[in-house]
Amino acid sequence: MKVLVVGSGGREHALCWAVSASPLLTELLIAPGSSAMSELGRLCNVAADDLDGLVALAKAEAVDLVIIGPEIPLVEGLADKLDDAGIKAFGPRAAAAQLEGSKEFARAFCDRHNIPQPAWKRFADASAAKDFAKSLHGYCVIKADGLAAGKGVIVCDTQVDAEHAIDELLGGRFGAASNRILVEERIEGPEISAFALLDGATVQWMASARDHKRAFDGDEGPNTGGMGAISPSPHETDILKAEILDKIIKPVAAGMAEEAMPYTGILYAGLMLTKTGPQVIEFNCRFGDPEAQVILPRLRTDFLSAVVTQIEGGLDHFDMRWSDETAVTVILAANGYPGSYEKGSQINGLDIAAAQSDVTIFHAGTKIADDGSILASGGRVLAVTAMGTDAESARHKAYGAVDIIDWPDGFCRRDIAAT
Ligand code: AMP
Ligand code: GLY
């Protein structure tokens, strides 16, 4: 089977790593990928948001299956275009990907299907938004409706904060993505991410994870794409898993099917465990980054077989098996990230770090120079993943490998998975 993976980050490196272990694979293409991924497949110079270019590539190469990593091509309809061209795609069609692409769609959908979530309202007008924030005593969350690369959410303590956030977002900070905003009740509790594989109405639980979104230790500093992750989440229990499936994941699958937008592919539910049970913070229509880097190493079933089974509609007879071990990933990012940072600094010691037992290093933003040296070329640069019998041992091994890497121009959090 000839497979094309779309994307170029650490998540896509992990996807390529999982796919290349499959006995079903005959050839792997990656668009655009990164030089570290060229060990696993052939890089094709087509950007992840060039939908027509990707369809043309898949046709010209007679690809059997396209695995779409990032949200933008999914929300913009890459799966639809591939389907129309007769090429199998892993990931939801645009209508279903609205669960991530529009926060208003997701909130209204949950209301229609009694899926637990905070109180919310949508506004295009600042004074009405401020009135609703006041009714929540300013203890609220202001969100851009559209995609804002994880940065369009402002958590407020007071009415002054809320009014400032409303003016900032409606003032065009994220362009069209924040023409409309949501004002939400601010709920409390530990966060957990649940990942499931959906095939229309059929649901298969995959894994839970927790990511660390803030840049610095102790959850300080600006929000990032994610500075590290652990899977399973320390909060996962069989009872919680059943509750998440019954109250959230299965109703999403049934509701989307009922509304003629059957959801296929990976559903990532970002949840908060409140005193009254799990509530939805957001949905994503794809694997997380860096959650994929801790979930895929725990998978004991062939990933490509699971993908093919989902696409062919046999998920109810398929059992994905998972390791009982814990995986931890620590992100090494360029100094300055998530603000501005330099590119091109050299990273040493990666071979020795990657050779440590139970350690796998996924590249999120590197470039291999002609002389073989490895240079930083992005904000998040490496995801250093380790497996262990528990969180402490996985964490210890991950930081052991991190400490071997010699890269003065990068930094990491030291408290990933430390609870
Ligand atoms: P999102 O991009 O929607 O995942 O939001 C980013 C972060 O903001 C989440 O991980 C939560 O920590 C926080 N957040 C979002 N919505 C709420 C809410 N309604 N109540 C409390 N915290 C929230
Ligand atoms: N790590 C958060 C995300 O992928 O959305």
Side-chain angles (χ1 to χ4, degrees):
M1 163 167 261
K2 194 166 173 180
V3 176
L4 169 64
V5 170
V6 174
S8 60
R11 163 183 53 208
E12 287 76 23
H13 193 190
L15 284 165
C16 291
W17 172 84
V19 166
S20 46
S22 175
L24 299 182
L25 185 75
T26 52
E27 192 180 356
L28 177 60
L29 273 58
I30 314 162
S34 70
S35 35
M37 298 181 207
S38 61
E39 280 178 13
L40 301 172
R42 173 154 57 93
L43 303 186
C44 302
N45 192 16
V46 182
D49 57 0
D50 176 2
L51 271 48
D52 292 331
L54 291 166
V55 175
L57 170 70
K59 273 183 169 165
E61 291 280 354
V63 160
D64 297 302
L65 165 70
V66 181
I67 297 179
I68 306 164
E71 60 276 20
I72 289 179
L74 287 164
V75 170
E76 291 183 350
L78 180 56
D80 309 56
K81 285 185 182 243
L82 288 165
D83 266 2
D84 293 346
I87 299 160
K88 294 188 171 85
F90 181 62
R93 295 174 69 101
Q98 289 181 90
L99 277 179
E100 172 163 6
S102 165
K103 291 188 188 289
E104 180 185 354
F105 174 89
R107 288 295 186 217
F109 172 84
C110 288
D111 277 351
R112 288 197 291 280
H113 297 280
N114 293 318
I115 297 169
Q117 64 174 353
W120 69 284
K121 276 192 176 151
R122 188 266 288 174
F123 300 94
D125 167 69
S127 76
K130 290 174 187 175
D131 286 347
F132 184 59
K134 205 170 206 169
S135 76
L136 300 168
H137 312 289
Y139 197 75
C140 62
V141 182
I142 316 293
K143 300 184 172 180
D145 175 54
L147 287 179
K151 290 166 193 152
V153 174
I154 304 172
V155 179
C156 305
D157 288 317
T158 64
Q159 182 67 12
V160 174
D161 290 352
E163 296 199 0
H164 184 77
I166 289 166
D167 288 334
E168 197 178 357
L169 288 189
L170 283 177
R173 171 147 167 219
F174 294 102
S178 67
N179 282 347
R180 296 196 302 190
I181 58 166
L182 267 51
V183 178
E184 296 185 357
E185 168 199 1
R186 182 170 161 191
I187 54 174
E188 284 175 340
E191 289 184 49
I192 183 170
S193 302
F195 292 82
L197 192 55
L198 271 64
D199 154 21
T202 314
V203 165
Q204 170 107 217
W205 173 270
M206 294 177 73
S208 68
R210 165 163 188 222
D211 78 336
H212 299 258
K213 287 199 173 76
R214 298 297 190 108
F216 308 129
D217 286 16
D219 287 333
E220 299 285 339
N223 259 327
T224 71
M227 293 299 292
I230 180 170
S231 177
S233 153
H235 297 285
E236 183 183 318
T237 60
D238 286 345
I239 292 173
L240 178 63
K241 188 169 130 178
E243 192 179 6
I244 292 172
L245 275 170
D246 290 345
K247 291 191 177 156
I248 294 161
I249 311 283
K250 287 180 184 169
V252 169
M256 292 299 281
E258 192 184 310
E259 297 192 20
M261 294 177 272
Y263 193 99
T264 56
I266 290 170
L267 178 70
Y268 161 176
L271 310 172
M272 206 167 247
L273 303 178
T274 71
K275 287 200 179 96
T276 57
Q279 293 196 27
V280 174
I281 294 282
E282 64 164 355
F283 291 116
N284 295 310
C285 62
R286 40 141 185 114
F287 252 134
D289 186 345
E291 291 88 336
Q293 294 92 307
V294 281
I295 293 176
L296 287 168
R298 294 185 51 235
L299 181 59
R300 289 289 165 268
T301 312
D302 177 41
F303 178 63
L304 193 51
S305 302
V307 168
V308 170
T309 306
Q310 182 266 292
I311 289 172
E312 291 178 352
L315 214 52
D316 42 349
H317 302 298
F318 190 84
D319 219 7
M320 289 178 96
R321 285 177 297 106
W322 298 88
S323 161
D324 289 334
E325 291 202 329
T326 298
V328 167
T329 195
V330 177
I331 297 289
L332 286 174
N335 289 338
Y337 173 82
S340 59
Y341 51 81
E342 302 278 322
K343 291 184 181 176
S345 56
Q346 190 165 331
I347 305 168
N348 291 311
L350 272 182
D351 286 350
I352 303 171
Q356 302 303 300
S357 65
D358 304 320
V359 168
T360 311
I361 299 181
F362 298 109
H363 290 236
T366 66
K367 196 171 165 18
I368 303 177
D370 293 341
D371 66 359
S373 56
I374 297 176
L375 308 177
S377 70
R380 290 191 292 174
V381 170
L382 297 165
V384 180
T385 301
M387 301 270 291
T389 46
D390 56 19
E392 195 44 45
S393 88
R395 188 180 130 69
H396 184 74
K397 289 184 221 178
Y399 279 109
V402 163
D403 289 337
I404 293 171
I405 298 170
D406 172 19
W407 183 35
D409 297 291
F411 75 102
C412 67
R413 277 181 62 160
R414 301 299 310 188
D415 62 348
I416 300 303
T419 61

